[in-house]
Amino acid sequence: MPHIHRCVTLHIDVTVSTSLPILPRHLPSQVPLLQHLSLDCELDLNMWERDEQKHIFLHAPLRFEGNSPNALEFEFRPSLKTLSIDGRNVQNIFAKGYTWLSEMYELSELKVSNYMPMVMSRRHPPTDNTADRHTCQKCETFPIPLLAALESCDQLAALTFESIFFEIDPVEENHPDEMYDLSSLYSIVMRDMEPVMINEIFRVVDHSSQSVAFVQCPRLNEVTLLFKFNPTLQLVYLEDNFDMASFLEGWECENLFITSCPSFSDTVLDMLAVQEGLLPNGRPHFPRCKLLTDLHLHYPDSYPPYTVGALKRFMEARGRGVDYSDEDWPYADVGAPLERLIITGNLPDLLEDDEVWFRSHLVKFQWGGDPDA
């Protein structure tokens, strides 16, 4: 890549994580103009061979032509605005003592993904179709150094963790008490992250992000968050047995996005409609999503598990006492009415009378079409 020093954007997308380049070793020269760097892969294949007691990589790391594996590593100081990086590279940053990650003062988006070293044994394969996690000094990574490095990135607005395994001390008394200031964050996305890691990240991060998303996260009911005041909550492709009603208790989101979650049933809608007393201002108190004004339901892959009848019951309970004939009803200090309902993907049956009812009780009603419209 003789012209990489002219590149503003560099995107590398490979099949397996071990084919990704290691920074900065496998770049042939400095990249003074680089603003957007993306190192993506489909499969994480960082493994530990138990029988031979060594790390194995199914593919050699990618090297650019003309760059020797033993080439001297230059001072890597990219001025990035967006970065998508694999966990092995993040682990390498701290293992080698590099500081460039904490010196990207214009970084606005960061995604760290694909790092879950697994134990492999040809002689003793797992009998239950699962594999053990592997950690050692050569491959372990911790959330604390990463979060500490990001404190200096005061332009960071979007942070995503995907399929990352952090080593966390099982003894709670040994956990650090420091809080890391990431108050610039607008959105946090957790994708395929274990509950213990989600808990630890949110425990030590001081943030006031507008949006939190949980995507394909297993056993999300084991997540215990103290801060539930994010205006937007997104739940995407969660497990069939996820207890959504319990999880939503205490959230004060205004916007709730549900995508292909089988557990968003009539029962959840009925629980969202349950009132428990009054607020100090006299308005009804709903313990689950009490500030909810916008509900987005998107089921592109399956028939939705909720019914039109449950949606109407939910809206009637939330809007009790509201005079919908008054065009200023959204601004009245009455009830806790839903204002926008966006239903896309596969749709339940909707009668004409029901459509008329929804349109007369909402500022915006969308049934079908583009979910991003």
Side-chain angles (χ1 to χ4, degrees):
M1 297 180 64
H3 302 293
I4 192 172
H5 63 282
R6 300 178 182 177
C7 288
V8 175
T9 299
L10 176 60
H11 176 67
I12 299 175
D13 194 344
V14 297
T15 302
V16 295
S17 59
T18 48
S19 294
L20 289 170
I22 296 296
L23 300 175
R25 183 176 182 179
H26 299 127
L27 288 179
S29 64
Q30 297 195 44
V31 282
L33 302 181
L34 193 63
Q35 295 183 10
H36 309 282
L37 175 61
S38 177
L39 305 178
D40 293 335
C41 64
E42 296 181 13
L43 298 173
D44 174 25
L45 287 180
N46 295 296
M47 295 186 182
W48 170 259
E49 171 55 64
R50 175 182 293 165
D51 304 326
E52 300 181 15
Q53 292 292 294
K54 67 177 184 179
H55 292 98
I56 61 171
F57 303 107
L58 302 187
H59 294 264
L62 176 65
R63 296 185 177 92
F64 293 109
E65 184 177 354
N67 187 44
S68 167
N70 298 318
L72 293 177
E73 296 178 2
F74 55 86
E75 193 74 3
F76 193 58
R77 290 288 184 272
S79 182
L80 298 177
K81 294 183 178 179
T82 65
L83 172 62
S84 178
I85 188 171
D86 62 299
R88 189 160 65 114
N89 260 300
V90 173
Q91 188 272 340
N92 186 65
I93 290 171
F94 298 112
K96 296 292 181 63
Y98 298 139
T99 60
W100 61 268
L101 186 59
S102 62
E103 297 172 2
M104 293 190 294
Y105 305 115
E106 297 183 5
L107 186 68
S108 62
E109 297 181 19
L110 173 64
K111 175 184 175 183
V112 183
S113 62
N114 292 307
Y115 193 73
M116 292 187 175
M118 309 296 289
V119 174
M120 176 182 176
S121 174
R122 295 181 178 86
R123 300 173 190 168
H124 306 287
T127 57
D128 57 355
N129 295 321
T130 62
D132 296 329
R133 297 276 189 261
H134 165 72
T135 59
C136 70
Q137 290 184 345
K138 289 185 177 180
C139 71
E140 65 187 359
T141 184
F142 296 86
I144 301 305
L146 174 60
L147 296 173
L150 295 180
E151 275 196 302
S152 60
C153 303
D154 55 10
Q155 300 297 313
L156 187 63
L159 177 61
T160 298
F161 287 108
E162 177 179 347
S163 303
I164 293 290
F165 179 74
F166 291 123
E167 180 67 13
I168 297 175
D169 194 322
V171 181
E172 189 171 337
E173 289 75 10
N174 295 336
H175 293 178
D177 295 327
E178 292 89 349
M179 293 289 291
Y180 298 94
D181 183 7
L182 300 183
S183 55
S184 63
L185 283 178
Y186 181 87
S187 70
I188 300 176
V189 177
M190 295 287 168
R191 182 188 295 269
D192 187 26
M193 294 289 290
E194 292 288 331
V196 64
M197 288 161 240
I198 296 175
N199 285 334
E200 180 66 3
I201 291 170
F202 278 93
R203 185 185 70 83
V204 299
V205 170
D206 181 12
H207 72 99
S208 55
S209 58
Q210 297 293 301
S211 175
V212 172
F214 299 99
V215 184
Q216 295 178 309
C217 292
R219 306 184 311 284
L220 196 58
N221 285 113
E222 296 178 19
V223 170
T224 55
L225 304 180
L226 298 178
F227 184 87
K228 296 184 176 182
F229 308 113
N230 312 91
T232 297
L233 174 63
Q234 301 182 56
L235 303 176
V236 183
Y237 288 105
L238 299 178
E239 296 170 317
D240 293 7
N241 60 353
F242 170 53
D243 186 353
M244 188 175 294
S246 296
F247 184 80
L248 292 177
E249 190 161 354
W251 280 97
E252 298 190 8
C253 58
E254 300 170 12
N255 310 292
L256 179 60
F257 290 77
I258 306 293
T259 300
S260 292
C261 291
S263 61
F264 188 81
S265 61
D266 287 3
T267 300
V268 174
L269 283 166
D270 290 340
M271 293 298 290
L272 287 171
V274 173
Q275 177 183 340
E276 292 185 4
L278 300 175
L279 296 171
N281 61 6
R283 300 183 72 170
H285 170 58
F286 294 92
R288 298 170 184 84
C289 306
K290 68 179 182 181
L291 303 179
L292 187 63
T293 59
D294 293 41
L295 178 60
H296 302 245
L297 305 177
H298 183 50
Y299 282 78
D301 307 314
S302 62
Y303 191 79
Y306 58 87
T307 64
V308 170
L311 284 171
K312 290 180 68 175
R313 290 196 304 271
F314 156 70
M315 288 183 54
E316 287 171 342
R318 290 277 182 141
R320 190 169 291 118
V322 175
D323 181 6
Y324 289 99
S325 64
D326 183 352
E327 63 179 11
D328 292 326
W329 66 261
Y331 310 104
D333 293 329
V334 180
L338 194 72
E339 297 179 13
R340 297 167 190 83
L341 178 62
I342 313 298
I343 310 289
T344 54
N346 292 306
L347 308 171
D349 295 332
L350 179 68
L351 299 177
E352 184 176 345
D353 289 347
D354 290 329
E355 181 177 358
V356 172
W357 186 90
F358 280 120
R359 294 195 182 281
S360 66
H361 288 71
L362 292 162
V363 174
K364 179 179 180 180
F365 175 62
Q366 179 180 331
W367 194 264
D370 185 353
D372 298 320

